[in-house]
Amino acid sequence: IVVIAARPSVGKTSLAMNMARLMQSDCMNSGMQDRVQAYKLALLDKGDMDMCLWSTNQKINNGTARLTPAFNGSKDWDNDKGVKCMERTRSFTLDHLLFHAADDKLTQRPLLLKMDIEGSETKALRGAKHLLSSQFAPCFIFFEHQRVPTETTGVSHREIFHILTAADYIIYDVGASRAYTQETWKNIHAGDFQAVLRCRTECGCPT
């Protein structure tokens, strides 16, 4: 088992809290310290872009970050007013990370892909076209979806549904059994979802 974790920040800022917790939960209690690869980067549809990170709620959860194009000074984003860039990072595509940049390149199908990146999930999947169309497409994709932050990135909230269903995934609420259709997805505003590769048996889809 190899875990590849991409976080935009691993520096000495409040945004590093999630990385520390990830390393503790995944590694310290399961003897996997040498199997986790952590990378400081932002996953988007284009590589080598200058991006800004800032905490969405410094008082309650200063580990939750938003990712936006780099800016100077203060700026309003959705309901967050007067935010400042707390840290800058560069973007990668998921395809480039998994097939070129990671220390351990993919040699077998991943069991799961987990994304909770505050509205950038669609753009991250845009940058995973090779992964999703290959024999390495993950068995399960767990993702958060928030309509307003997603649309702030310049994409339709419906696009993630089209990307995943075109790649032969079925989308459900986490823990539910009723699949979403194109019509029912139109009404989604926020939630946690799972995409299941349609052809899995033991998740051994034909290659």
Side-chain angles (χ1 to χ4, degrees), residues 3-7 10 19 22-23 36-41 103:
V3 177
I4 297 176
R7 292 292 303 182
V10 291
M19 178 59 75
L22 172 72
M23 297 300 287
V36 174
Q37 301 172 27
Y39 297 91
K40 179 185 175 181
L41 53 88
D103 293 336

Side-chain angles (χ1 to χ4, degrees), residues 1-4 32 34-37 104 108 110:
I1 298 174
V2 174
V3 177
I4 297 176
M32 291 178 59
D34 60 341
R35 298 186 182 183
V36 174
Q37 301 172 27
D104 288 319
Q108 61 185 25

